[in-house]
Amino acid sequence: MTSKGETETRGNGDAENMHDLPHSRLTSPRLRVSPSPRLILWLIVAVVLLYGVVYPNFHVVVASLQREGYWSLANYREVLSQSIVLESIFASVGVSVLTVLFCAAVGVPLAFLFERYTFPARRLLAALAALPLVLPPLVGTVAFIFLFGESGILARLAQSIFALENSPWSLRGWPALLFFHTYTMYPFFYMLTGAGLRRIDASLAEAGQSLGAGKTRVLALVVLPQLTPSLIAAALLTFMTSMASFSAPLLFGGGVRVLTLEIYTARQRGDAAVAVTETVILAVISLSALIVFQRYEGTRRFAAAALKGATKKRQAIAAGRARAFAIAGGVIFSLLLILPVATLVLVSFASEGRWTVQTFPPSYTLANYIKIFSDWRAGEVFLNSLAMSAIAAAAALVWSFCVAAVMARKGGHNWKRVLSWLILVPWALPGTVVAVSIAEAYGQPSPLLGSFILVGTFWILPVVYFLRFMPLVVRALQASAEQLDPALEEAASSLGARWWRRFTRVTLPLVWPGAVAGTLLAFVIALGEYVASVLVFVPNNRPISIAIASELRDFNLGTAAAYGVVLMVMIGVVMMVATRLERLRT
Amino acid sequence: MPLLSLKNLSKRFDKTQAVADVSLEVERGEFFGLLGPSGCGKTTTLRMISGLGKPDAGLIEFDGSDITNLPAERRGFGMVFQNYALFPHLNVFENAAFGLRARHKPNSEIRERVNSALDLVQLPGYEKRRVDELSGGQQQRVAIARAIAIEPALLLFDEPLSNLDVTLREATRVELRELVARLGLTAVYVTHDQEEAFALCDRISVMGGGRILQTGQPRELYERPAQLSVARFLGRNNLIRAMRLSSSRSDAGEFKTLEGGHTIRIQVGERDLAPLNQPCILAIRPEHVVIGGGNNNTVNALAAEVREINFAGATSSIKLDANGLLLEALTLEANGLSAGAHCTVILPPERISLLKNE
């Protein structure tokens, strides 16, 4: 330990004499010339933000404002005069607003149910309810097609029961999109409302009741106002995720054209100007939403209620009918949650090409799994995804510590605000926007990279993954840093520890479990990433999601499902490790 | 030359003036107290001494040199925090060794000094324990060991005993006083507990509203509060509104009480001379009020009626009404008095202080 400490602060020899002559150093101020680690960290942070966030976005905005080398609004005039673009803007925003409402309608009551009542299997169901959060959107979409699609299991079941000629429904358009979005995004409301409810001091509601307010009145006037910050945060997350949604509109959006899809098709057409312009429009809408929500959140923040209060005890649902109803509801709910995943597992064992008109696949085999693990070309996508996600996640971890170290110092509030904004931007921007901006900025020789071109290399996807998911890690680290008692650092300071020692010996050991949990989350999301990957992947370095999509296109349903199942298993294992870590922290 | 001197320190937080024009001097080897109600600026002052807060204006000098802008980690002062601020990821030994490691001491010296620090706080054998396994009192001792292990040039305490229960608090108080004296350390101690400050400190500055109201030895503060707010803050007091009479001689003062219209004589030094015919306040501690006895020549003897007797174990508090002037007396025995009884109350002149009415 000592030797490590010595190498760290070599050049501060005057610290040695501190004990023997406690105040001699006070009278002889000496200039420190050792290179400050702080300066290096500042440089790293500045360079990454300049290359990763500022320049690409700046480049896209500039490109959208130019036509053949001249400044012009022609791109916007052209794009906004197409009715299909206006429709897609309307559809994106409309779907997102409706998604927020639907998710709130499902997630909030569910949170109340799980936080306020006990009933059989409550814990299991509560854990299940968060399941869609870790389901990669593409895998979820595929599972939905197998289960709810017009030739999915449920439709065939209905057909065979009622002897129908055609499928009774089709999984297309707005209803399909909203159904899928609600299924995958309600956990935002469920989780955040639950956390909010747990924070509310039960004595406040009791105080309300003792003052003569009825249950509804207490709910409306005491509980809901305190939940507002949680609800706003959930609405923001849902809205942004929905705006960025790509897999579902692509695979069963039908006639619904959303912006992410328009950008993708414009790029496939090779219409860079339109793609870039639409990218800017999508980015502006997303960032405006972020600003509006945050502004509103700021006005509605409540001071943390008294810590001494207890949270409300869960009430047992005891009455016969209510209990039966709760159990039945719980079973249906968990079936709804599990069925898509179960379907995926089922289809992954189906023999390729044999499942034609039957309700369930008629024969089962391990061939799909054998295929993706024995064929090098099929199996390498796992290694690709693992490698690229690991690189991105590790970089994000290191990066988050750089940011935390830079932000740890007091003062410089304006700088810090700029910094946090720049870090937040890639998170707030849809994956499509991030991918397009990086591809556009580093697709030709750029002033920042010289003759090096990022597009078409192995590194483009790790870079995009890093940019998309590093805000998650930074947030996780900041959240655990905020729980630290500031007196700890002050104590270290009063004991003679300088900035670097305080950071490495006090802050770092206390916040790393949170940071690593955030890193693992970023890692699993990157494993299943599709939105950005589909725009910039390199053919000889395909991630898992691209393989799933191409198997699906070739109607190799079993293989696509098998990929999906393996991906989910990988995600499950990593999440279990993350949960362990989370427990370690408390 | 004082070891530590603060000169006209001021500090604002947004709209509140937390500390205003605070000046004080701490001598080498002194146990110095900052006493006041919450929000009086005492902790802010301590943080500026430690270097954890920067003053907006003013000067901090230590051993003759200006340390106003020296960061905390270079001051070499030990600090004991209110919530102890022990490092939860380190065991007892490493907590106590933290400051020595920051000074890159050799391991053998660290072991020696940490062990002797833990001995001093009576925690030998606890080296390997996790700090969250310790009781509040033990954590407190670790915090003290950690601060003294660096052999601090100055030891700062921020209400270190406020999280302990009453009996432990009193026992720790005694030990702390002995420990600091044995090590020959200079200490600045912040507290809102008057009894604690009196028991521990050689000298105390009473603070209020960000200012120092009065500085002095505990006895001096208690018996001769200079201001109404000091008198109010330091224990119970009979506060008598009065007007100085023109008949006063130079070596004594005669006052007319506004309630009851009694004439009261006090011993007045130069500094205590109150302007004529201006309302001022006389203060006398309940335990200095004498009931009964005296003769016709006794000064400040007032006829009074007993209103109420409150038995409080060792002492009894007697509420008296002297013709509209309400007084409280504290006696060891109630002398057979009962409510409604008539008696004589004597206010000994040497026990009465004249307060500045701020």
Side-chain angles (χ1 to χ4, degrees):
Chain A
M1 226 177 154
T2 329
S3 67
K4 217 164 118 202
E6 271 162 10
T7 48
E8 256 162 28
T9 20
R10 194 169 288 160
N12 306 332
D14 52 351
E16 310 286 334
N17 306 326
M18 198 156 174
H19 161 55
D20 311 291
L21 295 163
H23 356 292
S24 62
R25 54 213 320 283
L26 309 184
T27 47
S28 59
R30 210 194 288 173
L31 259 177
R32 286 209 307 139
V33 286
S34 65
S36 134
R38 196 172 150 69
L39 190 70
I40 298 167
L41 289 175
W42 261 114
L43 269 176
I44 294 174
V45 170
V47 165
V48 169
L49 287 179
L50 177 67
Y51 276 73
V53 181
V54 178
Y55 177 70
N57 287 300
F58 177 72
H59 182 89
V60 166
V61 173
V62 168
S64 77
L65 288 170
Q66 284 188 336
R67 176 63 72 84
E68 281 145 17
Y70 294 99
W71 293 95
S72 128
L73 283 174
N75 289 330
Y76 287 93
R77 224 173 288 131
E78 199 172 288
V79 162
L80 290 175
S81 66
Q82 295 175 21
S83 64
I84 194 157
V85 176
L86 291 177
E87 258 174 50
S88 69
I89 294 175
F90 173 75
S92 276
V93 175
V95 164
S96 300
V97 169
L98 286 178
T99 300
V100 168
L101 295 179
F102 278 46
C103 288
V106 175
V108 173
L110 216 54
F112 268 91
L113 182 69
F114 281 116
E115 284 303 323
R116 290 291 161 84
Y117 300 98
T118 63
F119 42 86
R122 188 192 65 83
R123 279 163 168 274
L124 180 71
L125 288 177
L128 265 183
L131 183 76
L133 266 191
V134 290
L135 195 66
L138 179 68
V139 175
T141 314
V142 172
F144 256 56
I145 291 175
F146 292 154
L147 181 64
F148 301 111
E150 56 193 25
S151 56
I153 290 176
L154 285 184
R156 289 173 192 224
L157 205 61
Q159 261 178 294
S160 70
I161 291 172
F162 302 109
L164 298 172
E165 275 286 310
N166 297 313
S167 168
W169 63 75
S170 69
L171 190 67
R172 294 226 152 265
W174 285 67
L177 265 186
L178 287 174
F179 180 38
F180 181 73
H181 278 185
T182 308
Y183 174 83
T184 50
M185 297 173 204
Y186 87 87
F188 292 134
F189 273 95
Y190 164 70
M191 307 272 280
L192 287 169
T193 310
L197 279 174
R198 258 170 272 141
R199 269 201 306 273
I200 294 180
D201 188 346
S203 58
L204 288 177
E206 283 161 10
Q209 274 165 358
S210 77
L211 294 168
K215 276 202 166 168
T216 0
R217 215 181 161 75
V218 165
L219 185 69
L221 296 180
V222 179
V223 177
L224 279 184
Q226 292 197 74
L227 276 182
T228 336
S230 309
L231 295 179
I232 291 169
L236 172 67
L237 270 172
T238 312
F239 185 86
M240 306 291 266
T241 315
S242 171
M243 279 299 287
S245 172
F246 174 74
S247 311
L250 176 71
L251 291 178
F252 50 63
V256 187
R257 316 284 309 182
V258 295
L259 264 174
T260 48
L261 209 54
E262 280 304 304
I263 295 170
Y264 172 69
T265 47
R267 265 188 77 86
Q268 296 295 96
R269 286 200 307 270
D271 200 341
V274 171
V276 159
T277 311
E278 286 173 342
T279 301
V280 174
I281 294 172
L282 179 56
V284 166
I285 296 174
S286 298
L287 288 180
S288 323
L290 179 72
I291 292 168
V292 168
F293 274 108
Q294 285 209 325
R295 173 102 2 124
Y296 190 68
E297 192 184 5
T299 63
R300 281 304 202 108
R301 188 160 290 163
F302 289 84
L307 290 168
K308 277 177 188 161
T311 47
K312 194 166 168 138
K313 280 272 185 305
R314 291 197 180 89
Q315 229 174 329
I317 299 184
R321 191 177 293 174
R323 195 179 169 83
F325 186 75
I327 295 172
V331 169
I332 293 172
F333 171 68
S334 48
L335 276 181
L336 256 176
L337 285 173
I338 292 173
L339 267 184
V341 176
T343 309
L344 199 71
V345 174
L346 185 77
V347 175
S348 76
F349 288 107
S351 302
E352 216 68 280
R354 301 277 302 278
W355 186 27
T356 47
V357 293
Q358 302 87 341
T359 303
F360 291 101
S363 64
Y364 298 92
T365 166
L366 282 174
N368 300 324
Y369 287 98
I370 293 170
K371 179 179 158 197
I372 60 174
F373 282 118
S374 61
D375 180 0
W376 169 247
R377 174 88 183 124
E380 72 170 349
V381 295
F382 291 112
L383 293 182
N384 292 342
S385 271
L386 281 172
M388 292 191 293
S389 307
I391 291 170
L397 181 63
V398 173
W399 158 257
S400 70
F401 279 117
C402 294
V403 173
V406 165
M407 304 269 255
R409 192 67 173 242
K410 284 176 202 152
H413 291 291
N414 290 335
W415 264 111
K416 281 186 193 167
R417 197 166 305 155
V418 172
L419 211 66
S420 354
W421 257 98
L422 285 179
I423 290 166
L424 202 60
V425 162
W427 174 84
L429 293 178
T432 316
V433 173
V434 176
V436 168
S437 65
I438 290 288
E440 287 297 321
Y442 300 118
Q444 64 258 43
S446 73
L448 288 183
L449 287 184
S451 59
F452 180 74
I453 293 173
L454 198 56
V455 173
T457 70
F458 166 82
W459 289 102
I460 183 142
L461 275 184
V463 165
V464 169
Y465 291 170
F466 166 77
L467 287 175
R468 285 204 64 195
F469 304 125
M470 63 79 176
L472 267 179
V473 187
V474 173
R475 294 292 294 208
L477 181 60
Q478 278 175 344
S480 31
E482 274 163 22
Q483 289 172 356
L484 275 192
D485 180 0
L488 289 179
E489 252 213 83
E490 293 177 351
S493 182
S494 80
L495 289 166
R498 294 201 179 160
W499 167 77
W500 180 248
R501 177 171 280 270
R502 292 202 296 272
F503 182 68
T504 54
R505 299 297 163 82
V506 178
T507 312
L508 208 62
L510 291 171
V511 298
W512 78 265
V516 171
T519 307
L520 291 179
L521 187 64
F523 177 71
V524 297
I525 299 180
L527 271 184
E529 212 282 345
Y530 178 62
V531 188
S533 308
V534 73
L535 284 164
V536 294
F537 78 95
V538 186
N540 60 10
N541 187 33
R542 300 181 311 154
I544 303 173
S545 54
I546 299 298
I548 295 178
S550 75
E551 296 296 337
L552 208 59
R553 207 174 313 115
D554 297 341
F555 284 100
N556 295 328
L557 304 187
T559 316
Y563 272 123
V565 171
V566 176
L567 177 58
M568 283 193 309
V569 169
M570 292 184 347
I571 290 173
V573 169
V574 177
M575 288 316 284
M576 264 159 61
V577 175
T579 321
R580 275 281 158 76
L581 273 174
E582 201 75 25
R583 224 170 282 153
L584 196 89
R585 182 163 51 157
T586 53
Chain B
M1 186 179 65
L3 182 64
L4 172 76
S5 60
L6 312 185
K7 293 178 178 163
N8 313 100
L9 283 193
S10 293
K11 174 87 176 170
R12 277 191 91 81
F13 292 119
D14 291 332
K15 292 203 170 67
T16 45
Q17 185 76 40
V19 168
D21 201 27
V22 161
S23 298
L24 59 85
E25 292 184 339
V26 179
E27 299 295 333
R28 201 177 288 273
E30 199 171 27
F31 205 118
F32 191 88
L34 287 173
L35 175 65
S38 56
C40 72
K42 56 192 191 300
T43 295
T44 309
T45 307
L46 189 80
R47 289 174 61 84
M48 291 191 287
I49 298 174
S50 71
L52 296 172
K54 291 258 176 300
D56 299 334
L59 213 62
I60 304 172
E61 283 179 1
F62 187 79
D63 209 14
S65 40
D66 178 5
I67 59 162
T68 315
N69 291 311
L70 197 71
E73 61 265 29
R74 298 187 58 193
R75 295 194 182 188
F77 298 169
M79 179 142 171
V80 179
F81 291 79
Q82 183 167 17
N83 61 356
Y84 317 142
L86 298 179
F87 305 121
H89 58 300
L90 301 177
N91 63 20
V92 170
F93 183 91
E94 286 302 327
N95 260 285
F98 192 93
L100 299 171
R101 295 218 188 275
R103 287 163 176 74
H104 305 294
K105 296 290 171 199
N107 273 332
S108 54
E109 188 186 338
I110 290 178
R111 196 165 309 123
E112 195 178 305
R113 280 168 63 176
V114 168
N115 284 337
S116 79
L118 289 176
D119 277 344
L120 280 169
V121 298
Q122 298 170 20
L123 276 181
Y126 281 76
E127 289 85 354
K128 294 276 173 275
R129 296 282 282 272
R130 287 166 51 108
V131 288
D132 53 7
E133 291 171 355
L134 304 181
S135 69
Q138 289 168 333
Q139 291 186 355
Q140 223 273 329
R141 285 156 193 271
V142 177
I144 293 171
R146 184 175 68 178
I148 60 176
I150 61 171
E151 298 185 10
L154 182 67
L155 194 49
L156 307 172
F157 294 97
D158 185 6
E159 308 216 18
L161 305 183
S162 59
N163 285 336
L164 303 179
D165 62 54
V166 181
T167 35
L168 196 55
R169 189 153 61 208
E170 287 176 359
T172 316
R173 202 153 77 190
V174 177
E175 286 172 29
L176 196 60
R177 184 78 189 96
E178 282 172 9
L179 184 66
V180 170
R182 179 141 39 114
L183 295 174
L185 293 170
T186 310
V188 179
Y189 191 99
V190 160
T191 181
H192 64 269
D193 182 337
Q194 167 225 319
E195 199 184 317
E196 194 173 297
F198 282 3
L200 277 169
C201 302
D202 302 318
R203 277 194 314 139
I204 296 169
S205 280
V206 181
M207 293 187 70
R211 295 175 183 279
I212 289 184
L213 304 176
Q214 192 177 358
T215 302
Q217 292 169 357
R219 176 167 291 278
E220 188 183 335
L221 293 175
Y222 187 77
E223 292 184 350
R224 295 257 158 240
Q227 291 186 34
L228 186 58
S229 44
V230 177
R232 280 224 173 102
F233 185 68
L234 299 179
R236 313 250 292 249
N237 239 321
N238 290 298
L239 300 173
I240 304 166
R241 296 198 298 155
M243 198 93 90
R244 187 171 159 225
L245 296 176
S246 50
S247 65
S248 299
R249 298 197 310 275
S250 62
D251 61 334
E254 263 187 11
F255 293 79
K256 191 102 179 159
T257 64
L258 298 191
E259 281 87 10
H262 304 286
T263 303
I264 291 187
R265 281 198 198 155
I266 71 169
Q267 294 178 329
V268 188
E270 293 282 330
R271 66 179 178 90
D272 286 335
L273 282 177
L276 289 178
N277 301 321
Q278 287 285 320
C280 59
I281 289 181
L282 303 175
I284 182 166
R285 298 276 171 195
E287 65 269 30
H288 294 151
V289 175
V290 180
I291 297 179
N295 51 41
N296 289 344
N297 296 331
T298 312
V299 287
N300 299 344
L302 322 173
E305 187 188 330
V306 177
R307 276 289 173 82
E308 199 181 319
I309 299 177
N310 291 314
F311 174 68
T315 58
S316 293
S317 154
I318 301 172
K319 299 269 166 63
L320 300 150
D321 182 351
N323 192 23
L325 173 66
L326 299 179
L327 294 168
E328 185 190 356
L330 209 59
T331 58
L332 289 174
E333 279 168 63
N335 291 333
L337 288 173
S338 58
H342 290 270
C343 61
T344 312
V345 176
I346 300 161
L347 308 177
E350 68 279 11
R351 297 295 197 183
I352 300 176
S353 20
L354 174 64
L355 301 182
K356 269 188 285 183
N357 197 354
E358 66 256 41

